[in-house]
Amino acid sequence: MSFLTLTNIQKSFGPVQVVHDFNMAIEQGEFVSFLGPSGCGKTTVLRMVAGFETPTGGRIVINGQDQSSLRPNQRNIGMVFQAYALFPNMTVFDNVAFGLKIDRLPRAEIAERVKGMLALIHLEHLADRYPYQLSGGQQQRVALARALAPKPQVLLLDEPLSALDAKIRVSLREEIRQIQQQLGITTIFVTHDQEEALSISDRVVVMNAGRADQIGTPFEIYNQPTTRFVASFVGTLSTMEATVLDPAAGTIRIGRETVSLDRPLPGRTANEPINLALRPEAIALGEPGPDEVGLDGQVALSQFLGSVIRTRVNVSGHMISFDMFNQPGRKPPMVGETVRIRIAKSHALVLAD
C-alpha cells in the first residue's frame, strides 16, 4: 500500500476549477516533483496536502489515515516556503527549535535535535546568528532544518530555490536531495524549473491546466513524453507534422518524403495527420544508417559556440534544431546550404493531441 495517496482530488475557487481529478500514489521515502508553468495547479495540490486548502472533492490519505478532518498542525507535515519565512527576532538555533518547543519536548532533547539538524545542513557554527546575518542559501537551509526537526512524515517544498542565484540553486538542490535520501523522508517538491525536477526526483508529475499530463521517472518524462505539452515543456524539442500512410507498417509522409518508422502506429488510421517530436540529440548530419531516417533540408542557422555548433535546418517548412560537437577538421554548415540529416527511427516520438 502506498504511503501517500491522492484520489480524484479537485479544487475550485468559485466557478473556476483549478485542479481536475488529480490521482497519484507516492511510496514511502520517494522524492516526487510537481513540474509545470505558473497557474497549472501544482502549488494548490501541495497546499491541499498540507491542509492549507480544502479539496472541493477527493481524498488525501497519509500512512493509512484520511487527512480531510485534520488541521495543518495535526498532519505531521514539514513545509519549506519560497520566501524562507524565518522568524527575524530568533537566532538560527531558536528558529530550528521552534516546532520542538511547540511540541513541548524536554529542553535537553530539543538541544540535541537542533544540534543534529544544524550538523545536517553544515551550519553548526552559525547557531547564534539571526536571519539577516545569513545569505539566502543559508536561510533556506535553516528553513529546511526547521521543517525537518519535528521528524515529519512528509516534507513539502514549495519552490524553495527560486529566490536564489543559479550557482547556489544547483548546490542547494543537490544538498536537499542528499538530506532527503539520508533521512528517507517522503517528499513533494514544487518547481517550474525542468532541470531541477529531472536532476533530483524519483518521479516527476508534469502538470498542465490543473491536470497531471504525465507521471513518470525523469528518464520517461524526457525520452517518452505522451502529450504535446509534456514534449514541448520538458527539454528542447523540434516538432513536425506528418501523415500516416500505413499504420500497421508505421509508414508516414513528411512533406514529400515517405518514411518508415519500422514500428506500427496503433490507434492511427491511413491519411490521419500526426505530430512528430524530435529531441536535439536524436539528430545529426550525414547519410542515414539502417535504423535511421534521412531527410533533406536547408540550413537556416549555424552558430559556432566553441565546443558545439547550434544548427537549425528547414525540412519541408519545419525547423529542426540540434547541436553538433565541434570537429577541428570539419567546417560548420553554412546558412543556405542544402544538407541531409539523419534521425534515429526509435527517437521519433508520435505525440498524443
Side-chain angles (χ1 to χ4, degrees), residues 3 49-50 62-63 65 67 70-79 103 147-156 185-186:
F3 186 74
V49 174
I62 300 177
N63 197 18
Q65 184 177 18
Q67 304 292 298
L70 301 180
R71 297 189 299 272
N73 64 330
Q74 296 174 316
R75 298 192 180 197
N76 192 20
I77 286 175
M79 189 155 184
D103 291 340
L148 292 171
K151 296 184 178 179
Q153 57 183 345
V154 176
L155 176 64
L156 306 179
I185 186 171
T186 307

mmCIF file of all heavy atoms in Angstrom, residues 3 49-50 62-63 65 67 70-79 103 147-156 185-186:
data_model
loop_
_atom_site.group_PDB
_atom_site.id
_atom_site.type_symbol
_atom_site.label_atom_id
_atom_site.label_comp_id
_atom_site.label_asym_id
_atom_site.label_seq_id
_atom_site.Cartn_x
_atom_site.Cartn_y
_atom_site.Cartn_z
ATOM 1 N N PHE A 3 2.219 5.069 0.612
ATOM 2 C CA PHE A 3 2.283 5.857 1.838
ATOM 3 C C PHE A 3 1.393 7.093 1.757
ATOM 4 O O PHE A 3 0.731 7.459 2.728
ATOM 5 C CB PHE A 3 3.738 6.263 2.089
ATOM 6 C CG PHE A 3 3.945 6.966 3.402
ATOM 7 C CD1 PHE A 3 3.907 6.269 4.599
ATOM 8 C CD2 PHE A 3 4.171 8.333 3.442
ATOM 9 C CE1 PHE A 3 4.090 6.916 5.809
ATOM 10 C CE2 PHE A 3 4.359 8.990 4.644
ATOM 11 C CZ PHE A 3 4.320 8.282 5.840
ATOM 12 N N VAL A 49 -2.445 19.038 0.316
ATOM 13 C CA VAL A 49 -1.781 18.001 1.102
ATOM 14 C C VAL A 49 -1.412 18.552 2.481
ATOM 15 O O VAL A 49 -1.574 17.878 3.504
ATOM 16 C CB VAL A 49 -0.521 17.483 0.376
ATOM 17 C CG1 VAL A 49 0.248 16.506 1.267
ATOM 18 C CG2 VAL A 49 -0.896 16.810 -0.934
ATOM 19 N N ALA A 50 -0.949 19.816 2.514
ATOM 20 C CA ALA A 50 -0.554 20.433 3.784
ATOM 21 C C ALA A 50 -1.741 20.786 4.669
ATOM 22 O O ALA A 50 -1.588 20.959 5.877
ATOM 23 C CB ALA A 50 0.268 21.690 3.504
ATOM 24 N N ILE A 62 -2.606 9.724 4.207
ATOM 25 C CA ILE A 62 -1.183 9.611 4.526
ATOM 26 C C ILE A 62 -1.010 8.510 5.559
ATOM 27 O O ILE A 62 -1.620 8.546 6.634
ATOM 28 C CB ILE A 62 -0.615 10.938 5.068
ATOM 29 C CG1 ILE A 62 -0.774 12.063 4.036
ATOM 30 C CG2 ILE A 62 0.857 10.779 5.442
ATOM 31 C CD1 ILE A 62 -0.303 13.422 4.522
ATOM 32 N N ASN A 63 -0.208 7.528 5.218
ATOM 33 C CA ASN A 63 0.084 6.406 6.117
ATOM 34 C C ASN A 63 -1.202 5.765 6.645
ATOM 35 O O ASN A 63 -1.330 5.455 7.839
ATOM 36 C CB ASN A 63 0.960 6.881 7.281
ATOM 37 C CG ASN A 63 1.641 5.733 8.000
ATOM 38 O OD1 ASN A 63 1.753 4.634 7.475
ATOM 39 N ND2 ASN A 63 2.079 5.984 9.226
ATOM 40 N N GLN A 65 -4.156 7.086 7.032
ATOM 41 C CA GLN A 65 -5.090 7.965 7.739
ATOM 42 C C GLN A 65 -5.644 9.031 6.803
ATOM 43 O O GLN A 65 -4.884 9.764 6.160
ATOM 44 C CB GLN A 65 -4.407 8.644 8.924
ATOM 45 C CG GLN A 65 -5.362 9.503 9.753
ATOM 46 C CD GLN A 65 -4.691 10.126 10.964
ATOM 47 O OE1 GLN A 65 -3.469 10.199 11.027
ATOM 48 N NE2 GLN A 65 -5.476 10.588 11.927
ATOM 49 N N GLN A 67 -6.880 12.475 5.751
ATOM 50 C CA GLN A 67 -6.465 13.779 6.279
ATOM 51 C C GLN A 67 -7.564 14.842 6.243
ATOM 52 O O GLN A 67 -7.350 15.966 6.706
ATOM 53 C CB GLN A 67 -5.266 14.292 5.466
ATOM 54 C CG GLN A 67 -4.080 13.343 5.420
ATOM 55 C CD GLN A 67 -3.412 13.192 6.760
ATOM 56 O OE1 GLN A 67 -2.901 14.156 7.315
ATOM 57 N NE2 GLN A 67 -3.411 11.974 7.302
ATOM 58 N N LEU A 70 -8.381 16.744 9.450
ATOM 59 C CA LEU A 70 -7.240 17.207 10.246
ATOM 60 C C LEU A 70 -6.808 18.612 9.838
ATOM 61 O O LEU A 70 -6.738 18.936 8.659
ATOM 62 C CB LEU A 70 -6.056 16.243 10.086
ATOM 63 C CG LEU A 70 -6.280 14.786 10.492
ATOM 64 C CD1 LEU A 70 -5.009 13.981 10.280
ATOM 65 C CD2 LEU A 70 -6.738 14.697 11.947
ATOM 66 N N ARG A 71 -6.505 19.426 10.848
ATOM 67 C CA ARG A 71 -5.954 20.761 10.580
ATOM 68 C C ARG A 71 -4.478 20.626 10.189
ATOM 69 O O ARG A 71 -3.848 19.587 10.434
ATOM 70 C CB ARG A 71 -6.096 21.645 11.826
ATOM 71 C CG ARG A 71 -7.534 21.902 12.233
ATOM 72 C CD ARG A 71 -7.610 22.964 13.333
ATOM 73 N NE ARG A 71 -6.901 22.518 14.536
ATOM 74 C CZ ARG A 71 -7.454 21.797 15.504
ATOM 75 N NH1 ARG A 71 -8.719 21.412 15.403
ATOM 76 N NH2 ARG A 71 -6.752 21.442 16.561
ATOM 77 N N PRO A 72 -3.876 21.665 9.620
ATOM 78 C CA PRO A 72 -2.474 21.577 9.199
ATOM 79 C C PRO A 72 -1.532 21.139 10.316
ATOM 80 O O PRO A 72 -0.621 20.333 10.085
ATOM 81 C CB PRO A 72 -2.162 22.998 8.730
ATOM 82 C CG PRO A 72 -3.468 23.535 8.259
ATOM 83 C CD PRO A 72 -4.494 22.940 9.173
ATOM 84 N N ASN A 73 -1.746 21.656 11.538
ATOM 85 C CA ASN A 73 -0.836 21.322 12.637
ATOM 86 C C ASN A 73 -1.046 19.912 13.186
ATOM 87 O O ASN A 73 -0.303 19.454 14.048
ATOM 88 C CB ASN A 73 -0.981 22.348 13.771
ATOM 89 C CG ASN A 73 -2.363 22.324 14.402
ATOM 90 O OD1 ASN A 73 -3.349 22.007 13.746
ATOM 91 N ND2 ASN A 73 -2.438 22.665 15.680
ATOM 92 N N GLN A 74 -2.066 19.201 12.669
ATOM 93 C CA GLN A 74 -2.323 17.830 13.116
ATOM 94 C C GLN A 74 -1.813 16.795 12.100
ATOM 95 O O GLN A 74 -1.942 15.599 12.337
ATOM 96 C CB GLN A 74 -3.829 17.625 13.321
ATOM 97 C CG GLN A 74 -4.426 18.497 14.427
ATOM 98 C CD GLN A 74 -5.934 18.363 14.498
ATOM 99 O OE1 GLN A 74 -6.628 18.373 13.478
ATOM 100 N NE2 GLN A 74 -6.462 18.226 15.721
ATOM 101 N N ARG A 75 -1.238 17.246 10.997
ATOM 102 C CA ARG A 75 -0.895 16.318 9.908
ATOM 103 C C ARG A 75 0.553 15.837 9.953
ATOM 104 O O ARG A 75 0.949 15.025 9.128
ATOM 105 C CB ARG A 75 -1.175 16.981 8.557
ATOM 106 C CG ARG A 75 -2.637 17.322 8.362
ATOM 107 C CD ARG A 75 -2.973 17.710 6.951
ATOM 108 N NE ARG A 75 -4.386 18.034 6.812
ATOM 109 C CZ ARG A 75 -5.049 18.102 5.660
ATOM 110 N NH1 ARG A 75 -4.405 17.879 4.529
ATOM 111 N NH2 ARG A 75 -6.332 18.404 5.628
ATOM 112 N N ASN A 76 1.346 16.354 10.864
ATOM 113 C CA ASN A 76 2.751 15.959 10.964
ATOM 114 C C ASN A 76 3.463 16.103 9.618
ATOM 115 O O ASN A 76 4.059 15.161 9.095
ATOM 116 C CB ASN A 76 2.883 14.527 11.490
ATOM 117 C CG ASN A 76 4.323 14.208 11.876
ATOM 118 O OD1 ASN A 76 5.141 15.097 12.104
ATOM 119 N ND2 ASN A 76 4.649 12.921 11.944
ATOM 120 N N ILE A 77 3.366 17.311 9.070
ATOM 121 C CA ILE A 77 3.966 17.618 7.772
ATOM 122 C C ILE A 77 4.928 18.788 7.943
ATOM 123 O O ILE A 77 4.614 19.781 8.610
ATOM 124 C CB ILE A 77 2.874 17.970 6.741
ATOM 125 C CG1 ILE A 77 2.137 16.695 6.311
ATOM 126 C CG2 ILE A 77 3.461 18.666 5.521
ATOM 127 C CD1 ILE A 77 0.972 16.943 5.391
ATOM 128 N N GLY A 78 6.103 18.677 7.353
ATOM 129 C CA GLY A 78 7.054 19.783 7.335
ATOM 130 C C GLY A 78 6.963 20.517 6.008
ATOM 131 O O GLY A 78 6.823 19.880 4.959
ATOM 132 N N MET A 79 7.023 21.837 6.048
ATOM 133 C CA MET A 79 6.888 22.608 4.803
ATOM 134 C C MET A 79 7.953 23.687 4.736
ATOM 135 O O MET A 79 8.227 24.374 5.726
ATOM 136 C CB MET A 79 5.499 23.228 4.699
ATOM 137 C CG MET A 79 5.220 23.863 3.347
ATOM 138 S SD MET A 79 3.450 23.922 2.980
ATOM 139 C CE MET A 79 3.476 24.600 1.322
ATOM 140 N N ASP A 103 5.885 21.493 20.481
ATOM 141 C CA ASP A 103 5.541 20.119 20.866
ATOM 142 C C ASP A 103 5.896 19.814 22.327
ATOM 143 O O ASP A 103 5.667 18.698 22.800
ATOM 144 C CB ASP A 103 6.262 19.124 19.954
ATOM 145 C CG ASP A 103 5.715 19.151 18.536
ATOM 146 O OD1 ASP A 103 4.584 19.634 18.346
ATOM 147 O OD2 ASP A 103 6.432 18.704 17.611
ATOM 148 N N ALA A 147 11.923 22.658 9.287
ATOM 149 C CA ALA A 147 10.836 21.783 8.840
ATOM 150 C C ALA A 147 11.097 20.325 9.204
ATOM 151 O O ALA A 147 10.168 19.572 9.497
ATOM 152 C CB ALA A 147 10.646 21.921 7.329
ATOM 153 N N LEU A 148 12.384 19.936 9.208
ATOM 154 C CA LEU A 148 12.731 18.538 9.468
ATOM 155 C C LEU A 148 12.873 18.200 10.946
ATOM 156 O O LEU A 148 12.763 17.033 11.330
ATOM 157 C CB LEU A 148 14.039 18.192 8.744
ATOM 158 C CG LEU A 148 13.994 18.150 7.215
ATOM 159 C CD1 LEU A 148 15.399 18.008 6.655
ATOM 160 C CD2 LEU A 148 13.106 17.011 6.738
ATOM 161 N N ALA A 149 13.116 19.214 11.773
ATOM 162 C CA ALA A 149 13.401 18.967 13.188
ATOM 163 C C ALA A 149 12.304 18.171 13.911
ATOM 164 O O ALA A 149 12.619 17.275 14.704
ATOM 165 C CB ALA A 149 13.668 20.291 13.911
ATOM 166 N N PRO A 150 11.020 18.431 13.693
ATOM 167 C CA PRO A 150 9.975 17.656 14.400
ATOM 168 C C PRO A 150 9.773 16.246 13.841
ATOM 169 O O PRO A 150 8.830 15.578 14.251
ATOM 170 C CB PRO A 150 8.709 18.514 14.184
ATOM 171 C CG PRO A 150 9.196 19.860 13.762
ATOM 172 C CD PRO A 150 10.442 19.605 12.974
ATOM 173 N N LYS A 151 10.607 15.818 12.913
ATOM 174 C CA LYS A 151 10.513 14.491 12.278
ATOM 175 C C LYS A 151 9.149 14.282 11.623
ATOM 176 O O LYS A 151 8.388 13.369 11.993
ATOM 177 C CB LYS A 151 10.788 13.392 13.309
ATOM 178 C CG LYS A 151 12.205 13.420 13.866
ATOM 179 C CD LYS A 151 12.465 12.254 14.799
ATOM 180 C CE LYS A 151 13.902 12.265 15.311
ATOM 181 N NZ LYS A 151 14.189 11.155 16.240
ATOM 182 N N PRO A 152 8.822 15.107 10.620
ATOM 183 C CA PRO A 152 7.525 14.968 9.946
ATOM 184 C C PRO A 152 7.481 13.690 9.111
ATOM 185 O O PRO A 152 8.511 13.143 8.722
ATOM 186 C CB PRO A 152 7.470 16.214 9.054
ATOM 187 C CG PRO A 152 8.904 16.515 8.749
ATOM 188 C CD PRO A 152 9.651 16.170 10.022
ATOM 189 N N GLN A 153 6.266 13.237 8.818
ATOM 190 C CA GLN A 153 6.118 12.042 7.987
ATOM 191 C C GLN A 153 6.197 12.382 6.497
ATOM 192 O O GLN A 153 6.488 11.514 5.661
ATOM 193 C CB GLN A 153 4.804 11.327 8.303
ATOM 194 C CG GLN A 153 3.557 12.177 8.150
ATOM 195 C CD GLN A 153 2.306 11.429 8.561
ATOM 196 O OE1 GLN A 153 2.320 10.200 8.708
ATOM 197 N NE2 GLN A 153 1.200 12.139 8.750
ATOM 198 N N VAL A 154 5.938 13.656 6.159
ATOM 199 C CA VAL A 154 6.016 14.113 4.769
ATOM 200 C C VAL A 154 6.665 15.494 4.759
ATOM 201 O O VAL A 154 6.375 16.331 5.628
ATOM 202 C CB VAL A 154 4.614 14.198 4.105
ATOM 203 C CG1 VAL A 154 4.709 14.767 2.692
ATOM 204 C CG2 VAL A 154 3.960 12.824 4.066
ATOM 205 N N LEU A 155 7.543 15.741 3.779
ATOM 206 C CA LEU A 155 8.173 17.048 3.603
ATOM 207 C C LEU A 155 7.665 17.665 2.311
ATOM 208 O O LEU A 155 7.700 17.034 1.253
ATOM 209 C CB LEU A 155 9.695 16.899 3.543
ATOM 210 C CG LEU A 155 10.502 18.180 3.258
ATOM 211 C CD1 LEU A 155 10.330 19.191 4.398
ATOM 212 C CD2 LEU A 155 11.975 17.854 3.046
ATOM 213 N N LEU A 156 7.173 18.912 2.395
ATOM 214 C CA LEU A 156 6.670 19.633 1.238
ATOM 215 C C LEU A 156 7.566 20.842 0.974
ATOM 216 O O LEU A 156 7.842 21.625 1.891
ATOM 217 C CB LEU A 156 5.228 20.098 1.482
ATOM 218 C CG LEU A 156 4.221 19.010 1.886
ATOM 219 C CD1 LEU A 156 2.850 19.624 2.116
ATOM 220 C CD2 LEU A 156 4.144 17.917 0.833
ATOM 221 N N ILE A 185 12.812 10.467 3.955
ATOM 222 C CA ILE A 185 11.508 11.100 4.152
ATOM 223 C C ILE A 185 10.774 11.265 2.828
ATOM 224 O O ILE A 185 11.362 11.641 1.807
ATOM 225 C CB ILE A 185 11.666 12.461 4.874
ATOM 226 C CG1 ILE A 185 10.298 13.043 5.213
ATOM 227 C CG2 ILE A 185 12.484 13.439 4.037
ATOM 228 C CD1 ILE A 185 10.367 14.255 6.115
ATOM 229 N N THR A 186 9.478 10.974 2.829
ATOM 230 C CA THR A 186 8.635 11.166 1.655
ATOM 231 C C THR A 186 8.534 12.658 1.355
ATOM 232 O O THR A 186 8.176 13.444 2.231
ATOM 233 C CB THR A 186 7.233 10.576 1.913
ATOM 234 O OG1 THR A 186 7.377 9.222 2.344
ATOM 235 C CG2 THR A 186 6.380 10.643 0.672
#
